[in-house]
Amino acid sequence: MTSTYGDWLKQQREAAGLTQQQLADMTVMTRSHIAHIEAGRRVPSKEDARRLDTALNTGDVLSSFLPQDEVAIADYFEAVCALEQQAVMIHEFALAYFPGILQTKRYARAVLGAAFPPVSEEECDRRVVTRLERAKILEDPVTPVVWALLDETLLRRPVASGDVMAEQIMHVVRLAETGRIRVHVMPFGVGHHPLMQGMLTLMWFEDQPPLAYGETDQMGKLHDSPTAVQELQHRYALALSDAMPLKESLALLRATAKEYGHHD
């Protein structure tokens, strides 16, 4: 969202002589949540806005002029990337490509190199580096907890050469085998399911409300509304209930990697 709403909130807070922590205490929120709202990175819930109005004596201004609950993100994770680094738990659903934080260098290059409109080699290199930097969150052995729900479509449609596909699939297998992530495959046989519209990332934080990021047709939306986030969480849970168990999913991943040419 634009920072106009956040700028006005900051002006009112400072005019009242309050620090972010003091305002957070008065509104039963966290200081970091106040900071994110002021910076234009988060949208307060209606209840948050009501409490802010009460604390700052601003009538119903903050409640009445809430930004749209869903915010369009033009450049993929431009606004979400920092939040991804702060998350303590991430649930991914992938339909066409493996999630960015799980991609290998060669797979990422194949995917990003096929972008339309085409990008220069230099720009492709920059995007690959950015994607690999995101994946470094998995270097921590515990946080964030990551669950990956993979539609079988992304296994069966090669977006790179056979050896690159096999390498990518086995990378995910190894992460799951070591316990760093959980992975479940949504098989073709399920048919229609609640997440078929596109990719979805759900994130939880220590001191902020959860959020969701969805992507379809080259456009992304950051969902900050508690109602919208909860609905997407429910859709994910419903889809996950139809997915293959971990053990069966890993067996399918290994078999598919073998079909692409992987040899143990």
Side-chain angles (χ1 to χ4, degrees):
M1 68 179 178
T2 66
S3 61
T4 303
Y5 184 94
D7 288 342
W8 195 83
L9 170 60
K10 181 178 180 180
Q11 291 171 10
Q12 300 308 305
R13 174 179 61 77
E14 292 178 341
L18 299 172
T19 64
Q20 289 180 338
Q21 186 60 61
Q22 288 171 328
L23 181 58
D25 293 340
M26 294 170 66
T27 55
V28 198
M29 298 165 67
T30 64
R31 187 208 62 77
S32 60
H33 190 39
I34 297 289
H36 282 304
I37 295 172
E38 290 187 351
R41 293 189 293 265
R42 305 301 297 266
V43 177
S45 67
K46 292 180 180 179
E47 180 58 25
D48 287 343
R50 185 192 65 76
R51 290 199 298 268
L52 287 168
D53 273 328
T54 300
L56 296 171
N57 294 314
T58 49
D60 62 354
V61 176
L62 290 164
S63 302
S64 299
F65 294 96
L66 273 172
Q68 292 294 316
D69 288 338
E70 297 179 355
V71 184
I73 307 298
D75 194 20
Y76 293 94
F77 268 34
E78 183 179 354
V80 182
C81 222
L83 294 168
E84 183 180 62
Q85 302 297 311
Q86 300 168 26
V88 296
M89 183 163 63
I90 299 175
H91 287 183
E92 297 270 16
F93 169 69
L95 183 64
Y97 306 106
F98 282 87
I101 60 173
L102 303 182
Q103 291 182 8
T104 65
K105 182 177 181 179
R106 292 203 299 163
Y107 182 88
R109 179 171 294 281
V111 171
L112 295 170
F116 183 84
V119 298
S120 66
E121 189 72 17
E122 180 180 2
E123 175 61 17
C124 183
D125 288 343
R126 186 188 69 79
R127 294 184 183 185
V128 169
V129 169
T130 298
R131 186 151 297 184
L132 295 178
E133 284 295 316
R134 286 174 51 205
K136 287 184 177 180
I137 60 175
L138 296 177
E139 293 178 1
D140 185 303
V142 178
T143 305
V145 173
V146 175
W147 289 12
L149 176 57
L150 310 176
D151 195 285
E152 189 175 353
T153 302
L154 67 80
L155 301 179
R156 302 302 184 187
R157 178 179 293 116
V159 297
S161 63
D163 64 317
V164 172
M165 291 295 295
E167 177 187 61
Q168 173 62 64
I169 293 170
M170 290 308 299
H171 173 64
V172 172
V173 169
R174 283 188 287 272
L175 286 171
E177 286 178 334
T178 60
R180 184 60 190 86
I181 69 170
R182 286 190 65 89
V183 61
H184 298 274
V185 175
M186 178 66 73
F188 282 137
V190 170
H192 186 276
H193 61 79
L195 299 178
M196 288 186 67
Q197 293 84 354
M199 66 80 71
L200 175 66
T201 301
L202 303 173
M203 298 185 228
W204 287 262
F205 308 88
E206 283 187 352
D207 60 355
Q208 305 169 41
L211 61 77
Y213 176 78
E215 202 171 278
T216 58
D217 298 329
Q218 304 292 316
M219 289 297 294
K221 284 187 180 296
L222 175 63
H223 302 268
D224 215 341
S225 158
T227 300
V229 172
Q230 187 175 64
E231 179 183 341
L232 290 168
Q233 290 172 345
H234 289 167
R235 288 187 187 182
Y236 190 97
L238 184 59
L240 185 62
S241 70
D242 284 330
M244 298 170 65
L246 174 63
K247 185 176 180 179
E248 294 177 19
S249 295
L250 289 177
L252 177 59
L253 287 167
R254 292 191 198 96
T256 306
K258 189 173 183 179
E259 292 172 8
Y260 280 118
H262 173 75
H263 300 286
D264 293 323

